Amino acid sequence: MTEDQGKLTTSKKQEIQHHFGKASSSYDKNANLQRQIADRLIASLEPWKAIIPEGPIIELGCGTGFVTEGLAELYSNREIEVTDLSQKMIECCRQKFPDTPHLRFSQMDAEYPPHEDPHYALTVSGFTAQWFDDPALTLGKWLRATKAGGLLLISFPGNESFPRWKKYCRELGLPYTGNTLPDVEEVVIKMSVEPSQVDYYEDTVTETFSSALDFFRSLKNIGASTQKEGRALSPSELSLLIDHWDSQSEGPVKVDYHVVFLAVKKDF
């Protein structure tokens, strides 16, 4: 497979785009985890604020603007390209920043960087890399598009997320239908191929829901319900899983996210 040939079909990309666009109006009310991770991502950028080189900044997968807000405040004198696969998300984000001329909004598939040569001083993406066909490969492209002394700063849910969901599927003999999430080791190795300094931090963040059904509904309400591969559970299988998950929970249903923060500084 070449870098330009992905596993995701055009129809699957369109499905991802459609679901996020449809959820743009409900996203802010339901994306509590994403907001929390965005705040932490921006906070981790503070030490780098004054030392990145001259040049534009780009945000991949802006959503409704959780990360965008922090970037606009930290870099009020820089040109910032704000991008997303979903045009509806872009429009929703744009409406939040009516008086910020240094922000430029555009629809873009982040798997295809517009510049192959070093161009950006800073590339930031909050909880988007898991939707890439090949996260390590795509982030490698963005590192190559980063200037010497520049920074690639990313957060994403890692492959150790959702242990309870996986466990209960095994107990019932059902297929686990969550999407394959980025492998931290693979991403770090890929980032280390280029002359760079790679730092990363892993954490477990737990969300609680009144039931397993509410958890699955929350994925739909933020647009994250597209199943990239494999078959979906039948209604009866899903009902069986929900009932079993609820019965195994003492009180609220807990969902664990393996959260990864990755900072890659391009060497001079």
Side-chain angles (χ1 to χ4, degrees):
M1 183 177 71
T2 69
E3 289 194 0
D4 293 324
Q5 293 175 321
K7 299 186 289 288
L8 284 178
T9 63
T10 299
S11 62
K12 190 61 68 174
K13 277 281 185 77
Q14 290 173 340
E15 184 180 344
I16 293 170
Q17 183 182 29
H18 170 73
H19 283 162
F20 276 106
K22 188 175 180 181
S24 58
S25 61
S26 60
Y27 190 88
D28 284 6
K29 295 187 298 183
N30 294 278
N32 298 319
L33 173 74
Q34 287 72 16
R35 187 187 297 275
Q36 175 188 340
I37 300 306
D39 290 344
R40 292 175 63 177
L41 189 69
I42 290 297
S44 72
L45 185 55
E46 287 283 355
W48 304 92
K49 178 181 177 181
I51 62 175
I52 65 169
E54 293 297 319
I57 294 169
I58 189 167
E59 180 188 358
L60 314 178
C62 66
T64 59
F66 295 163
V67 172
T68 313
E69 182 178 7
L71 288 176
E73 292 177 358
L74 279 177
Y75 295 101
S76 59
N77 295 320
R78 292 251 192 170
E79 176 187 305
I80 303 175
E81 299 178 26
V82 182
T83 72
D84 199 282
L85 182 65
S86 166
Q87 184 63 43
K88 288 187 177 180
M89 282 291 193
I90 285 288
E91 293 305 322
C92 187
C93 185
R94 189 201 306 267
Q95 291 172 13
K96 291 184 177 180
F97 305 97
D99 301 313
T100 47
H102 65 298
L103 300 183
R104 294 199 299 109
F105 296 87
S106 62
Q107 183 182 19
M108 187 188 74
D109 185 342
E111 296 195 69
Y112 303 96
H115 301 277
E116 295 183 359
D117 298 323
H119 180 79
Y120 297 101
L122 172 65
T123 298
V124 182
S125 181
F127 257 46
T128 298
Q130 70 272 19
W131 293 105
F132 298 158
D133 214 359
D134 185 328
L137 180 67
T138 299
L139 293 177
K141 293 178 184 179
W142 282 104
L143 185 58
R144 289 195 295 274
T146 301
K147 289 185 171 185
L151 181 70
L152 180 72
L153 184 68
I154 308 290
S155 67
F156 57 85
N159 58 343
E160 295 176 19
S161 297
F162 310 131
R164 292 179 178 87
W165 183 0
K166 295 172 183 175
K167 176 177 181 288
Y168 297 144
C169 284
R170 289 195 301 269
E171 291 176 353
L172 295 171
L174 296 174
Y176 168 69
T177 56
N179 290 325
T180 301
L181 297 173
D183 183 285
V184 182
E185 183 177 355
E186 180 185 359
V187 172
V188 169
I189 290 173
K190 183 68 176 182
M191 295 299 98
S192 301
V193 171
E194 298 284 336
S196 60
Q197 173 189 329
V198 183
D199 294 307
Y200 67 98
Y201 172 73
E202 300 173 81
D203 194 11
T204 299
V205 178
T206 302
E207 284 202 299
T208 58
F209 299 88
S210 60
S211 68
L213 178 59
D214 281 348
F215 162 61
F216 289 119
R217 282 175 174 165
S218 75
L219 295 179
K220 183 177 181 179
N221 289 336
I222 64 171
S225 58
T226 300
Q227 189 173 335
K228 292 168 62 177
E229 56 193 16
R231 75 168 181 87
L233 295 181
S234 68
S236 60
E237 288 173 328
L238 181 59
S239 179
L240 182 64
L241 173 59
I242 289 170
D243 289 344
H244 183 61
W245 195 337
D246 288 347
S247 70
Q248 297 299 307
S249 302
E250 297 180 0
V253 164
K254 295 181 179 180
V255 178
D256 293 329
Y257 283 81
H258 169 215
V259 179
V260 182
F261 298 89
L262 178 73
V264 186
K265 185 177 182 295
K266 187 82 167 282
D267 287 346
F268 286 96

